[in-house]
Amino acid sequence: LDSQGRLKIIDFGHRDLLTKAYSTTEWELNLYGAGNQIGIFDGLQADVFSLGVILFTMYFGYPPFINAKSNDPLYTHLCKPDENDRAAFWSYHKKRRPVLAVSEDFKDLIGRMLALRPTDRLSLTSIRNHTWCQGATANSETLYTEFMRRTKDC
């Protein structure tokens, strides 16, 4: 993200470096990488996870968790099937940024992009067609103003 609020998208390298699926027992990467991937590694699904982390960070101004590992309580709350656990994840973030409106559609999108099992993550087409992505969009000036406001609030 540059000083004008323009986003540059990069290839995280997973897709190009690993053109074939590799079997792993556990795949742990840094914050932006998909943690705890069990079974077959798929670079595209890892990139969806990374994009979910970036989208969350752009929205809130900070990352959704420290590490995508089972010892990170925020990550485990998000990944559990229990609705109360997911509610605890979103409640924590709402307390940190109470001025932000967080829609159910946004929560659903992030949860499905950051799913623990890579096969449970949305495809790029599903992300593009997701209800949250189909909503109203702002013009460049409005985006810049909002970006500057959120940057100041962090």
Side-chain angles (χ1 to χ4, degrees), residues 124-139:
L124 293 177
T125 300
S126 296
I127 293 168
R128 230 181 353 258
N129 294 330
H130 191 277
T131 308
W132 188 81
C133 294
Q134 297 300 311
T137 58
N139 62 33

Side-chain angles (χ1 to χ4, degrees), residues 14-153:
H14 306 281
R15 187 95 171 143
D16 289 338
L17 292 175
L18 302 173
T19 55
K20 296 179 182 176
Y22 287 84
S23 179
T24 61
T25 54
E26 187 163 325
W27 186 272
E28 295 184 340
L29 299 168
N30 63 20
L31 170 67
Y32 297 102
N36 294 330
Q37 288 203 24
I38 300 164
I40 303 297
F41 176 83
D42 182 300
L44 185 57
Q45 291 170 332
D47 284 350
V48 166
F49 183 96
S50 299
L51 289 170
V53 171
I54 291 170
L55 178 59
F56 182 98
T57 303
M58 289 174 62
Y59 196 87
F60 278 87
Y62 58 85
F65 38 75
I66 303 300
N67 288 300
K69 296 180 181 179
S70 59
N71 65 348
D72 184 314
L74 286 173
Y75 184 65
T76 55
H77 278 310
L78 179 64
C79 293
K80 288 185 179 177
D82 183 352
E83 189 61 40
N84 290 329
D85 280 303
R86 288 192 303 275
F89 171 86
W90 290 108
S91 176
Y92 169 83
H93 290 295
K94 184 64 178 165
K95 286 177 186 171
R96 282 192 69 189
R97 296 298 304 270
V99 298
L100 290 180
V102 183
S103 71
E104 292 302 315
D105 287 335
F106 182 79
K107 292 176 186 180
D108 179 69
L109 177 62
I110 292 296
R112 294 173 74 193
M113 290 177 77
L114 300 180
L116 175 63
R117 294 188 182 283
T119 54
D120 292 340
R121 295 185 192 136
L122 295 174
S123 67
L124 293 177
T125 300
S126 296
I127 293 168
R128 230 181 353 258
N129 294 330
H130 191 277
T131 308
W132 188 81
C133 294
Q134 297 300 311
T137 58
N139 62 33
S140 296
E141 184 178 322
T142 303
L143 286 174
Y144 179 72
T145 302
E146 181 64 13
F147 170 73
M148 296 309 290
R149 183 186 72 78
R150 289 186 187 193
T151 302
K152 191 171 101 176
D153 288 344

